[in-house]
Each structure stands twice: as C-alpha cells, then as structure tokens.
Amino acid sequence: PWLHTIANDAIAMQEQSHIDAIMKHVRDGTSIMAMGLNLGTSVMQLFGTFTTIDAIGPKYWLIGLGKSYGGLAHNWRGIAENWKFANEKSGEMRHLTSVFDRDIRNIENQAFGKLGVRGTLARGRQDAFLPIAYMQKLVNQSTWHGAYEKAMDEGRWETDSDGNIDDKRAVNYAYA
C-alpha cells in the first residue's frame, strides 16, 4: 500500500476517509483558485523581464519589446506579423498557452476528477489560469525577438547554397 501511495502521489484510496476526501478537495481547490484567480500571480510573470535583461542585455530587450509591442497605436499589422513570425519559428511560442492549458487540466483532473458536473467545473477552473499563461507569453514574445535579433547581429546564421540566410542557429539561440 505504501508503494501504491508513493506511485499515485496521494493518499491510497482504501485508506481515505470521507473527511480526508473533503479536506483534499478543499485544499486542492483553494490552492488552484488562489493562484488562478489572483491577478497578482499573473502580474508576477512580468518579472521574467529581469531574467531576460540579464540574459540578452537591455539593448536587445528593448529591440524585442519594440518588435513585439512597439507602435501599438499605429502599426498593428507589423506587430501581428512579428508575433506570427515568432510563432512560426518557435514551437514553444506557438504552443505556450495550449501546453499550459494541458498542464492545468492534468492538475485539475487529479484534484477534481473529470466526470459530469465535476468536469464542467474543472474546465472553468482551468480557464482561471489562462491569464497567467497569456502574461507569460507577453514576456516570452519580447524575449524571443530580442534574443533572435542578438543572435543575428552576432552572426549566428549561415547562408545556404543559393545565398539565402539560414537562421536556424539564431532561432535555436532565441529558443534557449
């Protein structure tokens, strides 16, 4: 039984009383809702900017910020193209919110089950975490563009046999 408990990372079902089940539900729900619906938790994702500045420098962070958000008042098309470019080049950028949603769904399914009303409630709880994912994407977008531009400036690109720029090394640098 103890090995079963460790493998399931929870209390073994046969040892769980009704009180244990209720307390687990309350504990898990409180943790998930406190983080998911907490605007402060979402805003905390913006502190990743400091890590970005440390890694690529303020110059390239500002370049990335400009490519991701610069000219919001007058150049929506250019910004949309830059976001599309990053999403096409980087699987991480493209799938950030869907992977995040999958991870939250796994936590929810473990904590609340996935049947009937519980499944519907769990989906609502999952959606509460989306602001965190989107705030993280705001930081990642400018980080990716800044790192890509730094890599291109440092010559982390090659030319193919036709003389076209092959930016795979720059994309890999931006991804890391």
Side-chain angles (χ1 to χ4, degrees):
W2 62 270
L3 186 56
H4 184 313
T5 300
I6 292 170
N8 289 323
D9 195 28
I11 299 170
M13 294 305 288
Q14 64 269 23
E15 297 174 14
Q16 196 174 37
S17 71
H18 292 299
I19 298 295
D20 290 331
I22 291 169
M23 293 309 292
K24 181 181 182 330
H25 181 75
V26 169
R27 183 177 60 248
D28 291 344
T30 300
S31 297
I32 290 170
M33 296 304 287
M35 285 181 59
L37 293 178
N38 187 341
L39 182 61
T41 304
S42 296
V43 172
M44 290 290 288
Q45 303 310 306
L46 298 176
F47 284 107
T49 300
F50 295 115
T51 306
T52 296
I53 293 170
D54 185 47
I56 65 174
K59 172 186 172 183
Y60 289 101
W61 173 71
L62 287 170
I63 289 170
L65 196 63
K67 284 191 160 281
S68 298
Y69 310 105
L72 283 176
H74 64 285
N75 190 10
W76 287 99
R77 181 171 288 140
I79 292 169
E81 288 171 5
N82 288 336
W83 277 61
K84 182 179 177 185
F85 177 77
N87 286 336
E88 287 173 354
K89 295 283 187 175
S90 171
E92 180 184 344
M93 293 303 299
R94 183 172 47 252
H95 300 295
L96 177 68
T97 54
S98 61
V99 170
F100 184 87
D101 190 43
R102 183 201 63 208
D103 294 341
I104 295 301
R105 186 170 42 256
N106 289 338
I107 292 168
E108 285 290 333
N109 289 340
Q110 287 175 354
F112 299 103
K114 53 185 173 182
L115 301 173
V117 174
R118 284 184 179 173
T120 302
L121 292 174
R123 181 66 194 159
R125 290 183 186 107
Q126 291 166 24
D127 290 345
F129 284 90
L130 284 177
I132 297 170
Y134 284 108
M135 287 294 240
Q136 186 62 52
K137 188 158 185 165
L138 291 176
V139 173
N140 290 7
Q141 200 50 244
S142 57
T143 299
W144 192 91
H145 279 291
Y148 179 83
E149 290 299 322
K150 180 178 182 179
M152 292 299 283
D153 285 353
E154 291 176 350
R156 295 178 192 229
W157 51 271
E158 299 170 1
T159 55
D160 62 16
S161 59
D162 296 329
N164 299 319
I165 291 178
D166 179 4
D167 65 350
K168 288 179 187 170
R169 289 176 52 206
V171 169
N172 288 337
Y173 178 80
Y175 178 73

